[in-house]
Amino acid sequence: MGGAWAGAANHRAALMLRKGAFADSVLGVGVQGSAGLGSRRESSARVADDLRKQGPPSGAPLGSRPGGAAAAAAAWEGAARQRLELYFENLSKQKKQVMEKNGNNRKLRVCVATCNRADYSKLAPIMFGIKMEPEFFELDVVVLGSHLIDDYGNTYRMIEQDDFDINTRLHTIVRGEDEAAMVESVGLALVKLPDVLNRLKPDIMIVHGDRFDALALATSAALMNIRILHIEGGEVSGTIDDSIRHAITKLAHYHVCCTRSAEQHLISMCEDHDRILLAGCPSYDKLLSAKNKDYMSIIRMWLGDDVKSKDYIVALQHPVTTDIKHSIKMFELTLDALISFNKRTLVLFPNIDAGSKEMVRVMRKKGIEHHPNFRAVKHVPFDQFIQLVAHAGCMIGNSSCGVREVGAFGTPVINLGTRQIGRETGENVLHVRDADTQDKILQALHLQFGKQYPCSKIYGDGNAVPRILKFLKSIDLQEPLQKKFCFPPVKENISQDIDHILETLSALAVDLGGTNLRVAIVSMKGEIVKKYTQFNPKTYEERINLILQMCVEAAAEAVKLNCRILGVGISTGGRVNPREGIVLHSTKLIQEWNSVDLRTPLSDTLHLPVWVDNDGNCAALAERKFGQGKGLENFVTLITGTGIGGGIIHQHELIHGSSFCAAELGHLVVSLDGPDCSCGSHGCIEAYASGMALQREAKKLHDEDLLLVEGMSVPKDEVVGAVHLIQAAKLGNAKAQSILRTAGTALGLGVVNVLHTINPSLVILSGVLASHYIHIVKDVIRQQALSSVQDVDVVVSDLADPALLGAASMVLDYTTRRIC
């Protein structure tokens, strides 16, 4: 039986490869790392393995008729062949369209030029993607700059190891590592590049970043009428790199940017919005799938056998060319602080900018290369570097890698000086702008080392390369080469990528209730796109596994619904530390839920930032963003449900209190001799007005045969609850009406206390019982409150799901602030 499947799988794989398809393209697999992408033998094996896992087609189970295995395999093979023919038919149409657009019935010739180890980590995923689609592209690789210098690791070798054919090597670096040497290096590159470009005659050159080598590449291509695609334009750092980056932007014809802010900067710089693609950073395609079970062997190889995960530091610091003297002094202070901190540290040599030679001298003067706590290296292969920073206790320095790529892992970062000060960063980055004392850097190390932050997707979502390849295919070589600038800046949110235009920015919202666990996809406008509900398990392990499972399923569904998930917000009962994402103490309704870290497992699984807060606080946040509290500076929300909770917004901000116990409004005491409360006290609002309190009173009446009146009944198998008490009161049951009036009065007295304490401009009653209490509460305010607060409006919330909307608003508020 299995043999028949395997034979059909091998047959189909061979057929694919005979037709010239790459297996990963056929199966829709994303761009991978380095090894094996070009091997047809490995591709065939992957295709066959994938098909064996799929099994026979539906409707043709093995054994369903004589010769079941062979017949099912034959049917399965036929279906596979049909799918394959359809794939190649679509591929042929797409290829024909691209060829016709180019006007000369040939492939797009792409030249990728790489200057150093840093830009190769961004360009390599694109190069792999181009190589995987030989039907559309021809790839030429030009290597220059510090790649070819022994002192900087001869990093061109990693390009060869990735099985790329290097078309041209250009020695363009003039040694000296000072300002004059940088200028001379640019000049030398400008002298050598014209011959190379005349020989290759590329249709388009891909240039990355903001290095002086890249400026030479862009200048040469622009003057030789070669189209330029610039990667990572529009960003802001804090050094001469900004000027170089923006100069390349002005020379480039097409732009691939990583963040929304960068996209807006490019539009503001009068670049044609039709030639801008917001794709994310290509390196994130690899970072977000970089979990390596064997990372310890990599750590031991570079740092020693006795080093543990999260117990070492990665240091990478470069000179600041606009203030070389200060950056050398700062590097000296950094090394002194690291020596005092006394943790194993991997120090990478600086780049080739002016001042790097002096920084290396500082390292040798302090004996770093021979110090037992330090490992000084010129270069680490990118695959291994990813694992080293992902599992480090901290990264320190001023490399863009620290503020960009490392955020994908939530590793704490200390960013020193001004070199990256303008960059967008996740909350994992601590800036030490004036790193002018050893003590200041040492204090930063103590604050950051060993922490774990939420994973950040500011710079990418792992799908940059497919967007870039699609963008390349859309380039029309018949269009005029001359750039057109757009004056003045054009309207926002316009992009070449139709998928980006149509994507709905959304959040995953989780509501952890006493009975149900709910997960929803919530749009920026507060629309619940899709909702999932399960019973809340009783044990910790079952509950955390179910949350992860539901969130993973919802995130996968979001892709089909064209929703881009920005993060996860969690609403839960009890006391929560929102800074750490930990549930400190839960309500009795949610068992085994104390001292629970919700942020880490979700962030690690989904690679998304995660926010957690109390359900009452979430209700207040929902009203602030989507409800009747929108635009108000001060208001209070009271939730009336199974329990009584609340949230306070003061000066537009949510109040948490010194021990995260603010707004426990359900436990305001309104009677010294009132009924017992679940908190251990008595006379609280919750003991009178919560759903549990009403259920208790309803059961007492029912047991005494005083609940039911004409026109109502309670089936024997149904539990008596608050809904029956409310029904009885509506039908004229005087005792039920009295109980509801007492409950409403208790709630009203609590609201009066809130008015006298906080003096909000609005009180919002939320939850299933709010509409039954509103009139009584208003009566109590008129009778009991000071005249100065009697005019404060009390309203019933019009939000259907305040807990879910509040959980979503934590995500949407944070990301909106970051990108606006």
Side-chain angles (χ1 to χ4, degrees):
M1 182 167 69
W5 290 0
N10 290 327
H11 174 83
R12 183 181 173 205
L15 179 61
M16 286 179 178
L17 294 169
R18 282 200 300 273
K19 285 182 176 277
F22 281 78
D24 293 282
S25 296
V26 174
L27 297 173
V29 177
V31 175
Q32 303 294 315
S34 56
L37 287 178
S39 168
R40 291 196 170 193
R41 180 176 298 172
E42 292 181 14
S43 295
S44 176
R46 285 201 300 273
V47 174
D49 184 60
D50 179 78
L51 298 177
R52 281 193 293 271
K53 291 176 182 176
Q54 290 180 26
S58 59
L62 293 181
S64 61
R65 56 187 179 277
W76 177 81
E77 183 179 342
R81 186 176 287 108
Q82 287 180 349
R83 288 170 54 199
L84 181 63
E85 294 298 335
L86 180 61
Y87 165 78
F88 281 112
E89 183 180 339
N90 292 334
L91 183 67
S92 178
K93 289 179 181 177
Q94 187 181 7
K95 180 180 178 182
K96 185 177 180 181
Q97 290 170 358
V98 173
M99 299 301 187
E100 289 175 352
K101 183 182 287 188
N102 290 340
N104 49 14
N105 202 30
R106 64 177 177 80
K107 303 173 186 178
L108 188 72
R109 194 176 186 101
V110 181
C111 176
V112 177
T114 172
C115 310
N116 54 66
R117 65 192 181 194
D119 76 16
Y120 181 66
S121 69
K122 316 292 177 63
L123 293 170
I126 303 172
M127 293 161 66
F128 281 122
I130 292 172
K131 186 176 180 180
M132 287 176 66
E133 299 202 28
E135 301 86 3
F136 300 105
F137 304 109
E138 288 184 15
L139 174 65
D140 290 314
V141 181
V142 174
V143 174
L144 64 160
S146 61
H147 271 310
L148 302 169
I149 298 179
D150 181 64
D151 284 353
Y152 294 88
N154 280 328
T155 50
Y156 73 90
R157 290 172 183 155
M158 64 183 178
I159 304 172
E160 294 177 332
Q161 290 166 1
D162 283 342
D163 201 25
F164 288 113
D165 294 327
I166 298 176
N167 185 281
T168 304
R169 292 177 174 85
L170 287 180
H171 291 273
T172 57
I173 297 298
V174 176
R175 300 306 300 272
E177 284 78 14
D178 59 13
E179 294 94 331
M182 291 169 64
V183 177
E184 291 168 357
S185 297
V186 172
L188 183 57
L190 288 171
V191 169
K192 292 186 174 185
L193 279 167
D195 287 340
V196 175
L197 297 180
N198 266 328
R199 174 168 50 84
L200 296 179
K201 291 183 169 49
D203 297 314
I204 189 163
M205 172 177 278
I206 299 180
V207 177
H208 169 271
D210 48 28
R211 307 284 301 134
F212 59 85
D213 324 68
L215 180 60
L217 287 164
T219 303
S220 300
L223 292 174
M224 296 182 70
N225 290 325
I226 297 169
R227 298 168 193 267
I228 301 165
L229 176 69
H230 184 210
I231 309 289
E232 290 186 13
E235 296 186 17
V236 178
S237 51
T239 65
I240 190 64
D241 293 349
D242 278 340
S243 300
I244 296 175
R245 187 186 310 110
H246 301 331
I248 296 173
T249 290
K250 293 293 103 185
L251 294 168
H253 303 83
Y254 306 95
H255 312 275
V256 172
C257 54
C258 301
T259 69
R260 294 187 181 278
S261 293
E263 180 186 39
Q264 294 304 312
H265 292 159
L266 289 173
I267 292 172
S268 298
M269 291 163 68
C270 303
E271 294 299 312
D272 185 350
H273 56 274
D274 286 330
R275 295 189 172 197
I276 300 170
L277 171 68
L278 173 57
C281 184
S283 63
Y284 265 62
D285 288 23
K286 192 165 189 178
L287 295 175
L288 295 178
S289 59
K291 292 292 183 183
N292 187 333
K293 295 179 180 178
D294 194 31
Y295 62 86
M296 282 307 304
S297 64
I298 296 172
I299 294 173
R300 293 188 186 105
M301 178 173 66
W302 290 98
L303 286 146
D305 294 336
D306 57 336
V307 177
K308 298 178 181 178
S309 175
K310 302 296 182 184
D311 197 38
Y312 62 90
I313 297 169
V314 175
L316 179 53
Q317 199 158 329
H318 302 302
V320 178
T321 55
T322 50
D323 194 353
I324 295 173
K325 186 176 179 180
H326 176 68
S327 62
I328 294 167
K329 178 62 177 176
M330 184 171 64
F331 185 54
E332 189 172 2
L333 294 171
T334 302
L335 294 178
D336 288 338
L338 288 168
I339 292 169
S340 299
F341 197 64
N342 198 31
K343 287 288 182 182
R344 190 68 54 84
T345 302
L346 181 72
V347 180
L348 277 80
F349 277 58
N351 63 23
I352 203 167
D353 281 349
S356 61
K357 186 186 294 183
E358 287 81 358
M359 291 179 73
V360 173
R361 286 197 190 105
V362 169
M363 286 174 59
R364 287 173 176 156
K365 176 182 174 183
K366 293 186 176 295
I368 294 301
E369 291 171 294
H370 306 289
H371 194 288
N373 261 357
F374 288 83
R375 301 290 185 271
V377 297
K378 295 176 181 177
H379 168 66
V380 178
F382 186 63
D383 286 358
Q384 297 176 24
F385 183 72
I386 288 173
Q387 300 302 327
L388 290 169
V389 297
H391 298 92
C394 180
M395 183 175 182
I396 188 171
N398 62 4
S399 167
S400 63
C401 172
V403 298
R404 294 169 57 94
E405 281 83 358
V406 178
F409 308 110
T411 302
V413 171
I414 299 170
N415 180 50
L416 301 174
T418 59
R419 190 171 184 267
Q420 307 295 341
I421 208 63
R423 298 261 190 202
E424 296 175 81
T425 68
E427 59 182 287
N428 64 310
V429 178
L430 175 64
H431 295 285
V432 185
R433 291 175 174 81
D434 299 316
D436 49 5
T437 66
Q438 176 185 335
D439 183 63
K440 195 178 289 185
I441 300 172
L442 194 58
Q443 289 296 323
L445 284 166
H446 284 293
L447 284 172
Q448 285 286 78
F449 186 79
K451 282 189 176 181
Q452 181 62 43
Y453 289 92
C455 302
S456 167
K457 282 193 175 182
I458 294 172
Y459 286 96
D461 62 0
N463 296 300
V465 171
R467 294 184 182 117
I468 293 170
L469 296 182
K470 181 180 176 183
F471 189 63
L472 281 169
K473 291 173 188 175
S474 75
I475 293 174
D476 186 355
L477 297 181
Q478 303 306 306
E479 287 185 351
L481 184 67
Q482 178 59 47
K483 281 188 67 171
K484 291 183 180 179
F485 298 102
C486 297
F487 303 100
V490 292
K491 50 191 175 184
E492 64 179 307
N493 290 334
I494 298 178
S495 171
Q496 175 70 21
D497 186 351
I498 188 66
D499 294 327
H500 162 56
I501 295 171
L502 298 178
E503 275 180 335
T504 303
L505 297 182
S506 308
L508 276 188
V510 180
D511 176 27
L512 190 66
T515 305
N516 292 322
L517 175 60
R518 301 187 299 157
V519 174
I521 302 169
V522 181
S523 74
M524 188 70 79
K525 294 180 179 179
E527 174 194 359
I528 295 180
V529 180
K530 189 154 187 179
K531 183 163 60 175
Y532 310 80
T533 303
Q534 297 273 6
F535 286 113
N536 195 350
K538 298 299 182 185
T539 66
Y540 164 79
E541 287 192 1
E542 291 177 321
R543 188 176 301 125
I544 200 75
N545 288 336
L546 182 59
I547 292 173
L548 292 173
Q549 176 190 329
M550 291 177 71
C551 285
V552 168
E553 290 175 0
E557 184 69 16
V559 176
K560 298 177 185 176
L561 296 170
N562 210 25
C563 295
R564 180 176 290 209
I565 301 298
L566 301 175
V568 183
I570 303 176
S571 167
T572 179
R575 190 163 66 95
V576 176
N577 179 346
R579 297 173 191 165
E580 303 292 338
I582 295 174
V583 180
L584 301 173
H585 304 293
S586 186
T587 65
K588 291 183 179 179
L589 296 175
I590 309 175
Q591 301 167 13
E592 295 187 22
W593 211 239
N594 296 327
S595 300
V596 175
D597 179 1
L598 284 178
R599 174 180 289 172
T600 300
L602 267 171
S603 181
D604 287 349
T605 301
L606 297 173
H607 300 293
L608 288 169
V610 178
W611 289 265
V612 187
D613 213 330
N614 165 272
D615 50 8
N617 289 335
C618 285
L621 292 174
E623 297 293 344
R624 183 181 70 177
K625 188 167 185 66
F626 304 114
Q628 299 187 67
K630 194 170 184 177
L632 295 183
E633 186 176 6
N634 303 291
F635 69 90
V636 171
T637 299
L638 267 159
I639 305 176
T640 60
T642 306
I644 301 288
I648 300 170
I649 301 294
H650 179 64
Q651 294 182 352
H652 300 291
E653 295 296 329
L654 181 67
I655 302 300
H656 283 102
S658 60
S659 58
F660 314 109
C661 200
E664 287 290 351
L665 305 179
H667 299 292
L668 291 175
V669 176
V670 293
S671 174
L672 295 177
D673 55 356
D676 292 340
C677 182
S678 61
C679 70
S681 183
H682 53 82
C684 300
I685 298 174
E686 189 170 293
Y688 285 101
S690 66
M692 290 188 299
L694 296 186
Q695 182 182 30
R696 180 191 65 222
E697 296 301 319
K699 191 173 184 306
K700 283 182 183 178
L701 289 181
H702 189 62
D703 291 344
E704 297 170 4
D705 291 328
L706 298 175
L707 178 64
L708 301 183
V709 296
E710 186 177 350
M712 71 174 291
S713 62
V714 179
K716 289 184 179 180
D717 58 345
E718 187 173 327
V719 177
V720 175
V723 65
H724 301 108
L725 186 76
I726 293 169
Q727 183 184 6
K730 286 182 177 179
L731 293 173
N733 185 322
K735 289 190 177 294
Q737 291 172 345
S738 175
I739 291 169
L740 277 180
R741 192 161 37 253
T742 301
T745 301
L747 184 64
L749 290 172
V751 171
V752 169
N753 288 333
V754 169
L755 295 178
H756 291 169
T757 306
I758 303 170
N759 192 26
S761 59
L762 178 69
V763 175
I764 303 172
L765 299 185
S766 178
V768 294
L769 299 173
S771 60
H772 302 291
Y773 289 147
I774 182 71
H775 298 298
I776 304 173
V777 168
K778 288 184 175 181
D779 288 341
V780 173
I781 292 173
R782 281 193 293 269
Q783 296 166 14
Q784 301 287 338
L786 294 171
S787 58
S788 56
V789 297
Q790 285 184 8
D791 292 335
V792 171
D793 202 6
V794 181
V795 298
V796 174
S797 172
D798 53 10
L799 299 179
D801 277 300
L804 285 174
L805 293 176
S809 74
M810 291 190 286
V811 178
L812 301 175
D813 277 351
Y814 183 85
T815 51
T816 301
R817 290 175 185 177
R818 181 168 297 283
I819 64 178
C820 286

